[in-house]
Each structure stands twice: as structure tokens, then as C-alpha cells.
Amino acid sequence: MATQKRTDKEKADLYLKKLIIAKKANEVNPFETKEEQKARIERIKTDVVYMVKTYLPHYATADCATFQVDAANLVVNEAVIFLFLEWFRGAAKSVWANIIIPLWLWMRGEEVFFCLLSDSVERAEELLADLQAELEGNPLLIHDFGTQKSEGDWAFGNFATIDQRFIGKSFGVKKKVRGVRIKHRRPNLWVVDDLETPDTIGNPKRMRKQADRIERDVIPTMTGKNRRLLYANNRFERVMTQTILQERHPNWRVMQVKAYNKVTHEPAWPSMYSKQYYIQMEIDMGIPAAYAEYLHETKLEGSVFSEDQIQWAKLPDLLDFKMIVVHWDIAYTDNEESDYNAVRAWGLIDHNFYLIDCYVKQSKMKQAVAWLCDFKKRIPKGANVILQYESQFWNGEVQRNIDEVEEQYMIDLNLMKIDTPKVKKLMRIFTLQPYFQNGRIYYNASLKSHSDTQVGIIQLCSIEEGSTVHDDAPDADQQAISQLEHYCIPGKKRKDGEKSYRTGKMKANHEIP
């Protein structure tokens, strides 16, 4: 009993805070004419941006993004829609799905029976209470549409307005939803929000059950001409409840919005986030986490390579390497769909291969050549190094870029052009697996938080038979390591007591300095 009382008090306190915010949202102009009021109400029916600025300025901390407005218009203009709002983290998915869109439908004259499904009923109640507080406390909304709070039917996250034109109910994913109705009314708007938890992500069976529940229990509760289902979640893992549903229902709409262009860092919501914000988030979170949360690009665990196979080690002195090979896998353009310019510097020491440094970006060729110039300047005198690139059908354009950058940096790269191997690229990359298995490949430990290194790891771990992901970095790795193999001469087996060294002419002819 005491626990229940404490829970009720916590809910009451939380709702009071939400209500205070709603009550301070705006003011009513006492000198406004009826014509002005009528004009405002008519305008908001067709202009969601105006509606947000007018009635919900406390949520309009930045200008509405184009994708947010497009989603709202799509929902209100289609009576039947099943839509995934697969927006990036921080894109105000919950605000638009749980507050703005339902309120706008109601303001436009529709009767709304809104049900919100989340991972727990407590979480669903908390999300729905934001909208409930607006209906009860927003001054301008009450002025234009009347008092909405029904004293006998206004529980936290479970309510109906006086005229019952708006009904809101909250559900946890395990709570029964079959047969939900109030008198003759049945739900016509469902929002699935904040459904995934660490437990569900690690349990594919549970995710399939959640998908089954949405298909078999949630959707059948909707009858009549209006049937809308919104699923609000970014795609931060490879397999989620939403991806299962998307695979089962290819006709359902997916509105995926990435936070920024990973080449230019231009934001999708520029009034809210800057380029520098996402650059800093990549630094703070690391590339894999940032790409998952903001670009819906998750690390794929392939059937060939695993991140667990990567050994991080302190880099030996560059003069200690028997040979260093830097291979450039060339890409021509720099858009989001293009290949990566991948430059990978590998060194050989004691029959082991070390990733020394790398450049892996969707960029113009000149940026890659500039990196090569910088890298060569960092190589100490006396180190053995080969710089190479794979022959292209547009070698003239490649050479022009090389010449221009060499002149700019006043350096001769002495890049060696090599022919494309005849073996299928994927099969070539697979030949690296024994080296990983035998612990002969090491990554420079100082590159752990290096963006380009992390992109290379994502590409490596994504490779498997039939995959269509970018593989530019692993391809460059294989090309460099295959060149280093020529300098990896196994020691000759000796009989007991036989000396291990050779002298004179034999040494000069056969040993590699």
C-alpha cells in the first residue's frame, strides 16, 4: 500500500511539473477580435509550423525541420497509414508522434482515440502525459477549443476530454490491448515509442514476439475509415522489432532521416544542430556509436571477420620495420553513395603485420594524396617504404591529381602503379582471415579513437559472402599485406648444432636489408 501511494505521489508530482510548463506556454490576447481568433484557428488547420509556433512555443526551441513537417502532412492527409519515423537521435520523434501530430489531427476536427505503446505502461503514461497536460493547461488551446479536462475521467496517462473527441490511453508492451474500446469508439491512432531496451535488443525471440503483438493485437483494434500507426525509433541496431516488421511488411512506409551528411557534416536540422556538433559527437562517442545513433549505420557482425580478432598494440619504431607498404584504393567522387578513398599503411616486423596509419574517407582524390604527402614527410630517413596505388582506367586523371598535390607540398611521392589482381576481390580479402586467426595482425593502439580506423573496422566486420557494403579499406589492407608477404621469408629449418647465419656472397644475395 505504501509503495502504491509513493508511486501515485510521484506521478502526481511529475504531472504537475508538466502542467506548469503547459500553463506558461502562451498567453491569450484580451483585445483580440472574434475574427482574428477564427482566422488563427482556420490557419492552423493547414499550417502545422504555424500551429507549433502559436500553441506549442515551448517545444519550438528551433525552427521545424522539413522532414518533421513532411511527416505531419503525410499523416493528416492519409486516413490509413503505417509509418516508421526512423529519425536520428535528437530529432524530436516523440514530440511529433505523441504531441504535435495527435493534437493537430484533433484541431483539424477529427475525433482522435490515441493509444501509446511503450516498453512499460509507466513509460507510456509518462510520454502521453505531455499531451494530456497541454489539453488541460495550455491557455490559448483552451481559449480557442474550450475546457477539455473531464473531472471524472482524467487519470495520469489515461484520459478522455469532456466531449470525448480526444481519448488517450497508455499501454506497456505486455499489457492486454485486444478489444480496446470506449463505448462505440475504438482506437484510430497508435504510436509505438521507446519500445526497445537492452534486454530486447539482446533477445531476437522477444523482438519477434513484440512484432507479433503489434500485428495480431494492436492493428486489429483499429476499425473505421481512420487507421494510423506510427512507429518512432531510430535504427541503432542491425536487428530490431521495427526491422522485423519492415521485413514482413515491405508496403509499410519507412521515413528514414539521417542527422547529417557524413562527408560534409551538413545537418538535416540546421536550426537545431550545427556541423561542429556532429563532428564533436563523432569524437566524443566514437564513429561506430555516432553512426548508429545519428546515421542508422550499425556495425554488422559478418561471418568471416570479427572485431574481437583485432589486436591493439603499441607501434614499434618505424625504423624497426623490415618494410612498410602504403596502398591507396582510389575513389573518384565524394558523395554519400560513392566508394571511399582508402589509404592504408602497413608494416612488417617479426613476421607480423602492423596497421601504422590510415585515411578512409568519402572524399576527392586530392585529399587522399595530401594525406600521403603528410605521411611520407613523417617517415624517418632510413625506413623502407613503398607507396602504391591500383591502376585505374582513368589513370590520367589520377596522375594529374598526384602531380598537383606533389607540387603543392613540394614532395615526390614516387607512387608505384600496380595492376588489378585477377582473383575476385572478396576472395582476396578472405585470405586475410588466417593472419587474424593466428594473431599476426596488429592495429596501432593510438588509432583506437581514430575516425578513419573505426570506419575501416566497420567495413571489415561487415564483409561476408554476398555482402554489398563498402569494402575499400579491407581491399587496401589485402593489397598492402600481400606486398609485404614478399618480404616475409620463413626461416630455414636447421639441424641441431647448425649455425643460423650465412656469410659472404650468400648473405648479400639473399638477405633483404
Side-chain angles (χ1 to χ4, degrees):
M1 181 65 70
T3 302
Q4 184 60 48
K5 286 183 178 179
R6 184 168 61 251
T7 301
D8 291 343
K9 184 178 184 305
E10 290 172 352
K11 288 182 179 180
D13 291 343
L14 177 60
Y15 185 69
L16 180 60
K17 292 177 182 177
K18 295 177 183 291
L19 191 58
I20 291 172
I21 294 173
K23 287 182 176 181
K24 294 180 179 180
N26 45 52
E27 295 179 349
V28 175
N29 180 5
F31 304 105
E32 181 183 59
T33 66
K34 288 293 183 182
E35 288 75 17
E36 290 172 331
Q37 181 187 28
K38 182 179 179 181
R40 177 175 60 249
I41 294 173
E42 287 303 311
R43 180 178 173 182
I44 62 102
K45 292 180 180 180
T46 57
D47 189 345
V48 70
V49 175
Y50 177 71
M51 184 277 258
V52 172
K53 290 181 178 179
T54 304
Y55 293 91
L56 304 171
H58 47 306
Y59 286 107
T61 55
D63 292 340
C64 297
T66 301
F67 65 85
Q68 296 165 340
V69 175
D70 289 345
N73 283 318
L74 182 63
V75 173
V76 300
N77 288 319
E78 298 205 18
V80 179
I81 188 169
F82 298 87
L83 175 65
F84 293 92
L85 298 179
E86 204 167 82
W87 301 350
F88 57 91
R89 185 172 186 174
K93 296 181 292 295
S94 294
V95 171
W96 281 83
N98 305 336
I99 303 172
I100 296 174
I101 292 176
L103 271 180
W104 196 34
L105 287 167
W106 175 75
M107 289 175 166
R108 286 164 53 91
E110 289 192 29
E111 291 187 347
V112 178
F113 191 157
F114 174 30
C115 293
L116 199 155
L117 178 70
S118 192
D119 68 294
S120 67
V121 67
E122 291 79 15
R123 178 58 177 154
E125 289 173 346
E126 183 180 340
L127 290 168
L128 187 55
D130 288 319
L131 182 147
Q132 184 178 1
E134 297 299 327
L135 287 169
E136 178 180 348
N138 189 297
L140 189 58
L141 187 148
I142 294 171
H143 175 68
D144 287 347
F145 296 92
T147 299
Q148 303 301 320
K149 181 181 178 181
S150 173
E151 295 297 340
D153 198 357
W154 207 256
F156 181 74
N158 191 343
F159 62 91
T161 57
I162 292 176
D163 59 3
Q164 296 208 343
R165 266 208 327 114
F166 200 112
I167 299 171
K169 294 185 73 67
S170 308
F171 295 90
V173 72
K174 295 181 180 178
K175 186 177 179 182
K176 179 184 176 182
V177 301
R178 295 175 71 93
V180 174
R181 67 180 179 87
I182 293 179
K183 297 181 179 178
H184 67 285
R185 301 273 301 282
R186 292 188 179 274
N188 55 18
L189 173 64
W190 273 91
V191 172
V192 181
D193 190 7
D194 210 9
L195 188 61
E196 305 289 10
T197 68
D199 289 338
T200 60
I201 289 297
N203 190 335
K205 183 178 180 180
R206 185 171 170 184
M207 287 189 285
R208 288 194 295 272
K209 283 186 176 180
Q210 289 184 165
D212 293 343
R213 186 166 176 76
I214 291 169
E215 291 172 328
R216 300 173 186 177
D217 296 345
V218 169
I219 292 176
T221 65
M222 294 187 287
T223 59
K225 65 177 184 178
N226 294 335
R227 295 186 296 116
R228 300 180 175 102
L229 172 69
L230 307 181
Y231 195 119
N233 219 107
N234 61 326
R235 185 173 180 172
F236 58 87
E237 288 287 350
R238 182 184 182 184
V239 179
M240 302 173 68
T241 304
Q242 70 203 60
T243 65
I244 293 171
L245 286 168
Q246 289 168 11
E247 185 176 355
R248 293 179 182 178
H249 305 278
N251 58 316
W252 291 8
R253 301 194 193 191
V254 181
M255 186 180 184
Q256 186 183 90
V257 181
K258 297 183 178 183
Y260 59 97
N261 181 308
K262 65 181 176 183
V263 176
T264 65
H265 289 90
E266 288 294 337
W269 192 1
S271 65
M272 185 68 179
Y273 301 104
S274 66
K275 291 170 60 174
Q276 188 56 44
Y277 174 82
Y278 290 116
I279 292 172
Q280 190 61 46
M281 292 308 292
E282 289 184 352
I283 295 171
D284 295 342
M285 299 172 64
I287 286 291
Y291 279 13
E293 294 291 349
Y294 298 116
L295 302 179
H296 315 284
E297 295 185 13
T298 58
K299 183 184 74 175
L300 302 177
E301 291 293 345
S303 59
V304 181
F305 298 97
S306 167
E307 191 169 346
D308 295 333
Q309 293 179 309
I310 294 174
Q311 302 177 102
W312 298 93
K314 182 179 179 181
L315 191 69
D317 192 293
L318 295 182
L319 291 171
D320 292 337
F321 286 98
K322 195 170 189 178
M323 180 59 69
I324 296 171
V325 173
V326 185
H327 184 87
W328 174 22
D329 190 273
I330 301 174
Y332 185 70
T333 58
D334 64 345
N335 58 60
E336 285 193 291
E337 304 301 322
S338 68
D339 290 336
Y340 286 69
N341 269 294
V343 189
R344 309 281 279 187
W346 286 87
L348 173 68
I349 187 171
D350 296 332
H351 300 285
N352 294 321
F353 306 97
Y354 286 79
L355 178 66
I356 298 170
D357 206 347
C358 65
Y359 175 97
V360 185
K361 290 186 183 342
Q362 289 171 307
S363 69
K364 297 287 188 182
M365 286 187 287
K366 281 188 176 180
Q367 284 94 315
V369 180
W371 186 92
L372 279 163
C373 292
D374 179 72
F375 179 81
K376 188 167 184 179
K377 286 184 176 181
R378 290 185 276 125
I379 296 293
K381 289 183 179 180
N384 299 314
V385 59
I386 296 173
L387 280 71
Q388 63 182 39
Y389 68 94
E390 192 172 308
S391 179
Q392 308 288 323
F393 68 89
W394 28 274
N395 281 324
E397 180 65 15
V398 174
Q399 191 60 51
R400 184 183 67 79
N401 280 270
I402 293 172
D403 293 340
E404 290 178 1
V405 178
E406 283 181 334
E407 182 178 355
Q408 178 185 346
Y409 281 80
M410 293 184 293
I411 190 174
D412 182 12
L413 290 174
N414 195 27
L415 274 162
M416 181 172 67
K417 182 170 60 180
I418 65 171
D419 291 328
T420 305
K422 301 300 181 183
V423 181
K424 184 180 177 183
K425 180 167 63 173
L426 198 61
M427 294 301 104
R428 285 193 289 102
I429 295 173
F430 285 177
T431 63
L432 295 176
Q433 180 54 237
Y435 291 137
F436 279 97
Q437 289 179 343
N438 296 328
R440 293 180 58 190
I441 287 185
Y442 295 87
Y443 279 43
N444 183 352
S446 66
L447 299 178
K448 268 192 175 182
S449 58
H450 183 227
S451 299
D452 297 27
T453 305
Q454 291 296 332
V455 171
I457 291 172
I458 291 172
Q459 290 186 3
L460 178 72
C461 294
S462 301
I463 289 175
E464 56 188 8
E465 188 66 39
S467 65
T468 58
V469 298
H470 288 292
D471 55 11
D472 310 285
D475 187 22
D477 293 342
Q478 190 279 327
Q479 297 267 40
I481 290 172
S482 65
Q483 187 72 272
L484 288 173
E485 287 172 344
H486 297 303
Y487 302 89
C488 191
I489 301 173
K492 178 184 176 183
K493 292 184 178 180
R494 304 185 301 275
K495 297 178 182 179
D496 292 341
E498 184 179 354
K499 293 180 179 180
S500 61
Y501 58 83
R502 291 171 286 182
T503 60
K505 188 174 181 180
M506 290 292 290
K507 179 178 180 180
N509 286 346
H510 295 280
E511 290 194 359
I512 297 172

